[in-house]
Amino acid sequence: MRTASGWTTVILVGVGAIVAQAFGRFTYSVLLPAIRDDLDHSNTVAGLLGTTNVLAYLVGTFVVASLTTRYKLLTVMRSGFVFSLAGLAGAAVAPNAAVLGIALFSMGFGGALIWVPSPAIAARAVGENRRGLAVGAVGGGVGIGIVITGQLARIVRERSGDEAWRDVYRIDFALGVLAVLMILMFLRHQQSAPTGQKVGGAGFGSLRQMPGWVAITGAYTAYGFCYLIAVSFLTSRLEDDAGYTESLASTMFTLVGLGAVAGGILMGVIADRIGERITLVVGFCVFASALVGILTGVVAIVVVGSVIVGLMFGGLPSVVIGYVVRNTTAEAFGPSFAAATFAFGVAQVTSPQLGGLIADLTGGFTLVFIVAIGFALGGAAMATRLPHR
């Protein structure tokens, strides 16, 4: 049987990222208004369900930090698909919020097991001077998945109403099964057997050996706050505050996905040329500006802002991951990136619930987005402390 190599490996890893991130996480974001209105009318409960997903992701990163010292990256990645597909299947039939919460937890846990090993598998399949591009291409896969799920949500809700949100998860599950079968058949990764060496503190012992680890972890954590608040509540902000129709709000979410397709690749190439430090500082500032544009509610400005949010949503983590890949060995990458992702996950656990609570207290999403802008500027400040390449 022929197996993947080079850029084919990158493509297959990107397909896996669609299942882990786009289907397993961001489907809920675009369906949040429909799920909220069908199961519960509270933004706080809706935020809690989102928190369940990212809490599982946080737990998963803790587990990955240990698994990657004993098992090959590809083995860990494959195990994650079991949990992701099980979660998608559960969401497709969830009769209430409790069952949906269990399904989202399974998706989040599986997403961590898939995502953490993915950048190293992709980056080491290509040459040293193309690693940023490879990592960015994997992030582009997430963007493609967001486009798919955004359009699915728009079509399903237009035809069948809010109560048909489960149909989107059913389609995601079917596409996920096909994607996983293709990955299992063709994706291979050459890696020497891990030594089984213990890592301290969920991988932070390994992470601390990397130059600039405080700055890159801080920037990644700030990104976790700002992006998840913005993406989770984008459609809610536009529908509830700006008076957008379901179709128009879903279209804006799709534009985020389109931007993410190009964002990872574009910023990966830029970081390959000018370094991660400058790329991150400018990127975070641009992200904050785009969120200000979305707050205006003006359709033309929101269109541009949504695309830019997508570019930064796909691009900023690609630059962060590329930095970790460049500054760690193959064996150290797993625990090091898992540790950075653990800190990032803490932000994700907090941000959906924080956003939902603020929305309920204020009766809108303006302050929610202002908080996201503040975190974006904080990320830029942390990135200034990175060493020059």
Side-chain angles (χ1 to χ4, degrees):
M1 179 184 295
R2 294 188 62 187
T3 58
S5 61
W7 289 104
T8 307
T9 295
V10 175
I11 293 172
L12 288 172
V13 173
V15 171
I18 292 176
V19 178
Q21 301 283 356
F23 293 171
R25 179 176 301 182
F26 299 114
T27 294
Y28 178 76
S29 297
V30 73
L31 291 176
L32 189 150
I35 294 172
R36 178 195 62 196
D37 294 342
D38 184 41
L39 298 182
D40 193 291
H41 293 283
S42 167
N43 286 306
T44 302
V45 172
L48 180 60
L49 285 173
T51 300
T52 300
N53 182 266
V54 295
L55 175 61
Y57 190 85
L58 178 63
V59 173
T61 60
F62 185 86
V63 173
V64 169
S66 175
L67 290 179
T68 51
T69 64
R70 292 179 289 164
Y71 302 99
K72 294 183 178 181
L73 295 175
L74 186 57
T75 301
V76 176
M77 179 183 177
R78 287 171 173 169
S79 67
F81 289 118
V82 176
F83 295 96
S84 289
L85 291 179
L88 289 171
V93 297
N96 52 50
V99 174
L100 179 59
I102 295 171
L104 289 170
F105 188 94
S106 183
M107 283 185 256
F109 185 80
L113 268 62
I114 297 167
W115 178 249
V116 173
S118 292
I121 294 174
R124 291 190 165 90
V126 299
E128 170 69 28
N129 61 342
R130 291 291 183 269
R131 287 184 173 179
L133 175 59
V135 173
V138 173
V142 178
I144 293 172
I146 290 176
V147 172
I148 294 171
T149 200
Q151 288 304 300
L152 281 175
R154 179 185 64 81
I155 294 169
V156 169
R157 292 178 70 189
E158 283 181 352
R159 292 184 177 180
S160 306
D162 286 346
E163 65 277 3
W165 56 267
R166 296 171 186 84
D167 291 340
V168 179
Y169 276 114
R170 292 182 182 116
I171 297 171
D172 282 353
F173 173 73
L175 294 175
V177 169
L178 293 176
V180 171
L181 288 175
M182 183 170 59
I183 291 168
L184 293 178
M185 289 173 62
F186 297 108
L187 181 59
R188 301 290 183 272
H189 175 59
Q190 298 299 322
Q191 179 188 351
S192 58
T195 62
Q197 181 180 0
K198 292 183 179 181
V199 293
F204 279 95
S206 178
L207 178 64
R208 284 195 292 266
Q209 305 303 313
M210 185 178 69
W213 74 273
V214 173
I216 199 67
T217 304
Y220 200 26
T221 303
Y223 168 79
F225 274 108
C226 67
Y227 104 85
L228 194 57
I229 288 176
V231 174
S232 295
F233 296 103
L234 174 64
T235 55
S236 298
R237 157 72 186 174
L238 296 177
E239 289 183 29
D240 295 356
D241 293 359
Y244 282 36
T245 64
E246 296 171 356
S247 176
L248 185 55
S250 294
T251 298
M252 296 304 174
F253 191 87
T254 301
L255 291 176
V256 172
L258 288 172
V261 174
I265 298 173
L266 174 64
M267 295 192 70
V269 171
I270 294 174
D272 281 338
R273 293 181 178 274
I274 68 173
E276 291 86 0
R277 180 176 180 269
I278 298 176
T279 305
L280 285 174
V281 171
V282 174
F284 273 115
C285 291
V286 171
F287 198 173
S289 299
L291 295 178
V292 171
I294 289 174
L295 279 176
T296 67
V298 178
V299 174
I301 298 176
V302 173
V303 166
V304 176
S306 297
V307 173
I308 294 175
V309 165
L311 288 170
M312 298 304 106
F313 161 63
L316 290 174
S318 297
V319 178
V320 170
I321 296 165
Y323 181 89
V324 179
V325 170
R326 292 182 193 278
N327 289 278
T328 57
T329 64
E331 187 170 274
F333 173 82
S336 296
F337 183 51
T341 305
F342 185 85
F344 164 78
V346 171
Q348 293 193 113
V349 168
T350 309
S351 53
Q353 190 63 28
L354 174 64
L357 180 60
I358 292 173
D360 279 343
L361 291 175
T362 62
F365 293 89
T366 299
L367 184 57
V368 174
F369 272 70
I370 290 174
V371 170
I373 291 168
F375 280 116
L377 295 176
M382 292 300 300
T384 61
R385 300 177 59 189
L386 285 172
H388 291 282
R389 186 183 299 178

